[in-house]
């Protein structure tokens, strides 16, 4: 019998690098869970939603209409989106043209527009290409809307997160309040439903659960429980890969 528990793969297995795709609706705990999973595994964490928020912020600040496609495409060429690690907090923060804009992209005004920007094909194509470059060496945890279906359909672990809309709204309201932005819960519920509809019905890479994604309903779950749920799937995936013969992407 192996001396390692199902939650603790052997050191050799732990060195194998995989892609963990966490998709789902807004305010289900995707980012918090993904960050914790990445930290636990020593993986890179990529918040793809922040990238779309960064594009939205850039377009708004430069007064570029979302339906002015030539100007949007030029903006995608001109802007530079990256992540920089905050040594004090240990978090990866979004940089737009070399300036950290993490707080600005979380504002309600960005939440109200980001789904409209995300449906633009040129925007999605540009962001997907960048996300695929970021994760080509594996060893990443990505959260977003289309990671397991479009960005990394070959991800070894796929999770699809959901939660009751009121639970999500209350979580979002609490996040905003911490940043001194006080928004009525009814407004947040309306925003979430609008974003859910736009994300799920867009023609380009719509939000949907991949056929091989495990459903995780976080309505009544604490963050620690969500993290453990994902780590259990990671451990099971690593053992399964070892049993069938490792075929990591870097070896394909």
């Amino acid at each position: 019998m192996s001396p390692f528990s199902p939650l603790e793969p052997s050191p050799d297995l732990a060195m194998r690098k995989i892609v963990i795709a966490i998709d789902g609706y807004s305010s289900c705990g995707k980012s918090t869970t993904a960050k914790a999973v990445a930290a636990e595994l020593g993986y890179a964490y990529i918040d793809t939603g922040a990238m779309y928020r960064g594009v939205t912020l850039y377009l708004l600040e430069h007064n570029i209409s979302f339906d002015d496609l030539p100007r949007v495409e030029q903006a995608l060429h001109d802007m530079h989106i990256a992540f920089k690690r905050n040594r004090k907090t240990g978090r990866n923060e979004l940089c737009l043209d070399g300036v950290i804009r993490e707080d600005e992209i979380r504002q309600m005004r960005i939440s109200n527009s980001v789904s409209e920007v995300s449906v633009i094909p040129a925007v999605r194509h540009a962001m997907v290409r960048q996300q695929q470059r970021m994760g080509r060496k594996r060893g990443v945890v990505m959260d977003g809307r289309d990671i397991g279906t479009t960005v990394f359909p070959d991800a070894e672990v796929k999770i699809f997160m959901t939660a009751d809309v009121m639970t999500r709204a209350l979580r979002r309201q609490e996040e905003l309040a911490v940043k001194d932005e006080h928004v009525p819960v009814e407004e947040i519920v309306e925003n979430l439903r609008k974003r859910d509809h736009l994300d799920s019905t867009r023609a380009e890479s719509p939000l949907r659960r991949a056929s091989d994604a495990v459903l995780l309903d976080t309505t009544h779950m604490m963050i620690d429980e969500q993290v453990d749920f994902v780590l259990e799937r990671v451990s099971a995936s690593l053992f399964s890969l070892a049993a069938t013969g490792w075929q990591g992407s870097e070896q394909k």
Side-chain angles (χ1 to χ4, degrees):
M1 178 178 292
S2 169
F4 300 97
S5 74
L7 291 179
E8 297 177 348
S10 69
D12 181 60
L13 277 177
M15 290 177 65
R16 306 293 190 180
K17 299 297 185 182
I18 64 174
V19 170
I20 302 166
I22 302 180
D23 290 308
Y25 297 97
S26 300
S27 301
C28 289
K30 294 194 308 296
S31 296
T32 304
T33 298
K35 289 174 189 174
V37 169
E40 186 74 21
L41 297 173
Y43 278 21
Y45 164 64
I46 300 173
D47 179 357
T48 64
M51 298 171 70
Y52 289 101
R53 286 174 173 270
V55 174
T56 303
L57 178 62
Y58 185 97
L59 297 181
L60 290 174
E61 289 189 337
H62 289 78
N63 297 312
I64 298 174
S65 173
F66 302 160
D67 57 7
D68 188 343
L69 297 185
R71 290 193 68 197
V72 169
E73 291 178 359
Q74 184 61 47
L76 290 168
H77 176 76
D78 294 340
M79 75 178 72
H80 178 68
I81 289 179
F83 290 95
K84 183 176 181 180
R85 186 171 181 80
N86 185 320
R87 293 182 179 178
K88 292 183 179 180
T89 64
R91 297 186 309 168
N92 282 337
E93 299 183 335
L94 183 119
C95 289
L96 183 59
D97 292 335
V99 179
I100 293 177
R101 307 298 299 274
E102 189 67 25
D103 289 339
E104 291 97 322
I105 66 169
R106 305 299 173 182
Q107 293 173 351
M108 198 64 189
R109 71 185 185 105
I110 303 301
S111 297
N112 286 332
S113 298
V114 64
S115 289
E116 295 177 51
V117 173
S118 298
V119 303
I120 303 171
V123 173
R124 296 212 71 83
H125 294 163
M127 295 301 101
V128 167
R129 285 195 299 271
Q130 186 167 346
Q131 291 154 15
Q132 289 173 333
R133 286 196 298 271
M134 290 176 171
R136 67 178 179 271
K137 293 183 179 180
R138 321 301 276 188
V140 297
V141 183
M142 281 194 185
D143 75 89
R145 303 290 190 279
D146 60 348
I147 311 305
T149 55
T150 301
V151 182
F152 281 102
D154 64 340
E156 289 82 0
V157 173
K158 298 180 184 180
I159 307 293
F160 189 89
M161 294 176 66
T162 187
D164 174 80
V165 69
M166 182 55 70
T167 299
R168 293 159 54 202
L170 290 171
R171 289 173 181 171
R172 180 64 177 150
Q173 186 183 51
E174 185 176 346
E175 291 172 359
L176 291 168
V178 169
K179 298 175 181 178
D180 204 29
E181 188 174 358
H182 303 283
V183 182
V185 69
E186 296 80 9
E187 182 180 337
I188 298 175
V189 167
E190 182 180 355
N191 169 260
L192 289 175
R193 285 177 171 159
K194 175 185 175 183
R195 292 180 63 189
D196 289 349
H197 176 73
L198 288 173
D199 290 342
S200 301
T201 59
R202 66 186 179 222
E204 195 74 31
S205 301
L207 167 63
R208 62 182 176 82
R209 177 184 171 186
S211 60
D212 53 347
V214 178
L215 183 66
L216 174 57
D217 188 329
T218 69
T219 303
H220 303 293
M221 294 180 73
M222 302 296 288
I223 290 298
D224 287 349
E225 294 176 300
Q226 297 169 199
V227 173
D228 287 343
F229 182 96
V230 177
L231 288 174
E232 287 177 13
R233 270 61 192 176
V234 171
S235 182
S237 176
L238 288 171
F239 277 115
S240 176
L241 288 167
T244 57
W246 184 263
Q247 295 292 326
S249 287
E250 72 278 2
Q251 300 177 18
K252 291 180 181 178

